[in-house]
Amino acid sequence: MSGQSGSFTDLRDRSVSGALMALVGIGAVWAGGLWFTVLVCALCGLMVWELTKMLDSAAPFGKAEGAGGTAAVALLVFWLQLSGGLLLGALALSALLFAWRFPKDRGIAAAYLALILFAGLGLIALRESFGWVWVLWLVLLVIGSDVAGYFAGRLLGGPKLWPRVSPKKTWSGTVAGWALAVVIGFAFMSALGVGIGLVLISVLVAMAGQAGDIAESAIKRYAGVKDSSNLIPGHGGVMDRFDAMIAAALMMLVLTETGLIALILI
């Protein structure tokens, strides 16, 4: 294990920013309704802004900011006014239209914007349709998987998961995230009133979160940046903190919309 992989020099920053975001997030999740919807839309808008700056660093600040704000407002309006296939189609069209302004990176822009918008929709739908305990379960899965991977990777080290894209991630950390997802799944079975199938769903959601983390790392490496932005002082950007969350939320949206979650939880 290298000295760098065993370092905990960034733990204080991660803990402080994580605690502050947790306080805001828990309050919004508990309140639900418009409070939660506005928070999700704001986060989506900030992530779109960051994506714009990474893919087009020469874009004027106001232009990039406007793109993010437009996406956030669009998500809010679509959720309040549309439903079903019309809502999904509107979000997909938004992603395609936004990506058109990136001639060299339309595929990346369209894919990641779709991830952000559909994940936002997934979070709002999860809170409205399933309740705050399900959202708490999702948040704990993402945070727990990240924390388990952080400590296991630095304490155990071992082979790297994908060194070209994410040099710090190890297989030991990845498997530790899966293991903690199993524990969280068992712990929430009673609270959610479901069976053993929740354990499988927990692992799938944790895997999706890990994939989201790697996807954002790939975009940053492609763009040649260390962080998605400096919106969180000393600790990177919103995408850096919520890359795993949006992928996990998208997995939940897929599982619910396809009816797979009902089959697994039988």
Side-chain angles (χ1 to χ4, degrees), residues 13-222:
D13 287 339
R14 291 171 66 93
S15 300
V16 171
S17 63
L20 291 175
M21 288 186 290
L23 288 174
V24 175
I26 290 173
V29 168
W30 180 82
L34 187 60
W35 289 103
F36 185 70
T37 299
V38 168
L39 175 62
V40 171
C41 291
L43 292 174
C44 288
L46 291 172
M47 284 187 280
V48 173
W49 173 77
E50 291 176 339
L51 180 64
T52 301
K53 295 301 290 184
M54 284 195 290
L55 295 182
D56 187 4
S57 59
F61 179 84
K63 187 176 181 181
E65 183 182 39
T70 300
V73 172
L75 178 57
L76 175 59
V77 172
F78 291 157
W79 171 250
L80 294 177
Q81 303 298 326
L82 305 178
S83 62
L86 187 58
L87 171 60
L88 299 179
L91 291 179
L93 181 59
S94 298
L96 292 175
L97 291 176
F98 176 80
W100 195 257
R101 63 163 300 214
F102 299 99
K104 296 181 180 179
D105 303 308
R106 283 174 183 157
I108 296 175
Y112 209 86
L113 180 64
L115 168 62
I116 293 171
L117 293 182
F118 280 103
L121 172 63
L123 281 172
I124 295 171
L126 185 66
R127 175 63 181 88
E128 293 299 318
S129 301
F130 289 81
W132 69 271
V133 180
W134 275 94
V135 179
L136 177 63
W137 160 81
L138 180 69
V139 171
L140 289 180
L141 269 180
V142 173
I143 295 176
S145 178
D146 181 62
V147 171
Y150 177 85
F151 282 101
R154 282 156 179 74
L155 294 174
L156 302 177
K160 302 296 183 180
L161 178 64
W162 197 349
R164 286 183 55 191
V165 174
S166 188
K168 293 184 179 180
K169 295 197 181 306
T170 61
W171 274 105
S172 61
T174 301
V175 174
W178 300 344
L180 190 58
V182 170
V183 174
I184 292 174
F186 273 113
F188 270 79
M189 283 170 51
S190 177
L192 296 175
V194 296
I196 193 68
L198 183 65
V199 174
L200 174 58
I201 293 175
S202 297
V203 174
L204 291 175
V205 170
M207 287 180 172
Q210 292 169 337
D213 194 357
I214 293 174
E216 198 234 357
S217 295
I219 292 178
K220 290 192 295 186
R221 184 167 292 270
Y222 173 78

